[in-house]
Amino acid sequence: MSSHDVLSESDADPAANLARIRGEIDSALKEAGRPVGSVAITAVSKFHNAARIRPALEAGHRVFGENRVQEALAKWPDLKADYPDVELRLIGPLQTNKVKEAVATFDVIESLDRPKLARALAAEMEKQGRRPRLYIQVNTGEEPQKAGLAPADVPAFFTQCRDEFGLEIEGFMCIPPLEDDPAPHFALLAKMAKNLGLTGLSMGMSGDYLIAAQLGATHVRIGTAIFGARPVH
């Protein structure tokens, strides 16, 4: 089955899809001369309920991504009680009024993109004594409707996060423009991370994760290819 095929939710087998995707990624890594196992799959479980997620958990998968704080709060506390070693990653935009819940709920926040949010995260992390790992979201295509910093603004923001707010940044995240070849965007993100000595690269989704794996991703965010088409909302 091609990674671009879209299964209905009822036909998709999350555990089998994860195994297939893992094999595809490892083949792509070998081809690119990268170590097998160097890319983690973030299973994007947004809009899917706990019953849909459990087969992936039962198959041993532990890294999941959610777009919205409130949705994560509704379904993950019970799942995490059963699977306490889950790593939950926030991959959608974060409003400052949701920072308290985000810090309490997520292990990684991938959508840091402005000083106001950095300040709020630093204060809340200090208050809770909990420090989710942080990624700066980069708007590599400089699309006005999309969250993230323009590439030119990233070095100064990275320095501000570190020096003014005392935040440790693990890496970068990007979502290339839908109509673009993603490869130049992934290559740009990898170069920016290398220039700043960062190791984390969250890039690549259901349609382009093999390209991302070959160009340096450490995490690929895959939803549809694992869980099937999302329920209509």
Side-chain angles (χ1 to χ4, degrees), residues 34-51:
R34 295 190 65 203
V36 167
S38 57
V39 175
I41 298 168
T42 299
V44 179
S45 47
K46 67 177 181 179
F47 302 151
H48 295 291
N49 62 25

Side-chain angles (χ1 to χ4, degrees), residues 7 15 27 35 39 45 49 61 86 90 112 116 118 123 133 136 140 147 155 164 174 176-177 189 196 203 215-216 220:
L7 295 169
S27 295
V39 175
S45 47
N49 62 25
H61 196 74
V86 159
L90 178 64
L112 175 56
K116 185 182 177 186
R133 288 143 45 214
I136 292 172
T140 54
E164 186 178 334
C174 78
L189 203 70
L196 290 170
M203 58 190 198
L215 289 174
V220 290

Side-chain angles (χ1 to χ4, degrees), residues 42-47 64-72 88-96 98-99 102 106 108-114 117 121 134-138 146-148 173-175 202 205 221 230:
T42 299
V44 179
S45 47
K46 67 177 181 179
F47 302 151
F64 292 82
E66 289 283 346
N67 267 48
R68 297 172 182 163
V69 175
Q70 291 309 114
E71 186 184 346
L88 198 56
R89 302 174 76 97
L90 178 64
I91 59 176
L94 177 58
Q95 303 306 316
T96 50
K98 294 284 195 294
V99 161
F106 289 93
V108 183
I109 294 170
E110 295 196 5
S111 45
L112 175 56
D113 65 353
R114 58 198 186 279
L117 179 57
L121 282 167
L134 300 174
Y135 283 56
I136 292 172
Q137 183 170 350
V138 184
K146 196 173 276 182
M173 182 266 263
C174 78
I175 306 168
S202 173
M205 299 191 289
R221 306 180 304 276
R230 293 187 197 106

Side-chain angles (χ1 to χ4, degrees), residues 1-13:
M1 185 189 302
S2 159
S3 61
H4 300 281
D5 292 343
V6 177
L7 295 169
S8 73
E9 191 184 67
S10 58
D11 292 338
D13 178 342

Side-chain angles (χ1 to χ4, degrees), residues 43-221:
V44 179
S45 47
K46 67 177 181 179
F47 302 151
H48 295 291
N49 62 25
R52 191 82 195 123
I53 297 166
R54 278 189 185 276
L57 287 162
E58 287 160 8
H61 196 74
R62 290 295 181 268
V63 184
F64 292 82
E66 289 283 346
N67 267 48
R68 297 172 182 163
V69 175
Q70 291 309 114
E71 186 184 346
L73 282 171
K75 65 191 177 188
W76 277 101
D78 288 347
L79 289 169
K80 275 194 139 187
D82 292 340
Y83 298 93
D85 56 340
V86 159
E87 176 178 286
L88 198 56
R89 302 174 76 97
L90 178 64
I91 59 176
L94 177 58
Q95 303 306 316
T96 50
N97 65 351
K98 294 284 195 294
V99 161
K100 181 179 179 180
E101 292 97 333
V103 169
T105 305
F106 289 93
D107 304 293
V108 183
I109 294 170
E110 295 196 5
S111 45
L112 175 56
D113 65 353
R114 58 198 186 279
K116 185 182 177 186
L117 179 57
R119 184 179 287 109
L121 282 167
E124 192 57 44
M125 286 159 80
E126 187 67 31
K127 195 182 291 184
Q128 292 191 28
R130 191 170 193 276
R131 299 190 76 81
R133 288 143 45 214
L134 300 174
Y135 283 56
I136 292 172
Q137 183 170 350
V138 184
N139 187 348
T140 54
E142 301 193 42
E143 298 172 275
Q145 78 282 12
K146 196 173 276 182
L149 286 157
D153 297 333
V154 169
F157 180 63
F158 169 78
T159 301
Q160 184 182 24
C161 285
R162 183 189 62 196
D163 297 350
E164 186 178 334
F165 303 123
L167 295 174
E168 193 173 321
I169 304 298
E170 182 170 299
F172 293 143
M173 182 266 263
C174 78
I175 306 168
L178 201 56
E179 66 281 0
D180 282 15
D181 173 0
H185 295 272
F186 296 155
L188 171 63
L189 203 70
K191 183 181 179 185
M192 290 172 62
K194 187 177 181 187
N195 287 345
L196 290 170
L198 302 180
T199 55
L201 282 172
S202 173
M203 58 190 198
M205 299 191 289
S206 282
D208 55 21
Y209 58 84
L210 296 179
I211 299 167
Q214 293 193 314
L215 289 174
T218 58
H219 291 78
V220 290
R221 306 180 304 276

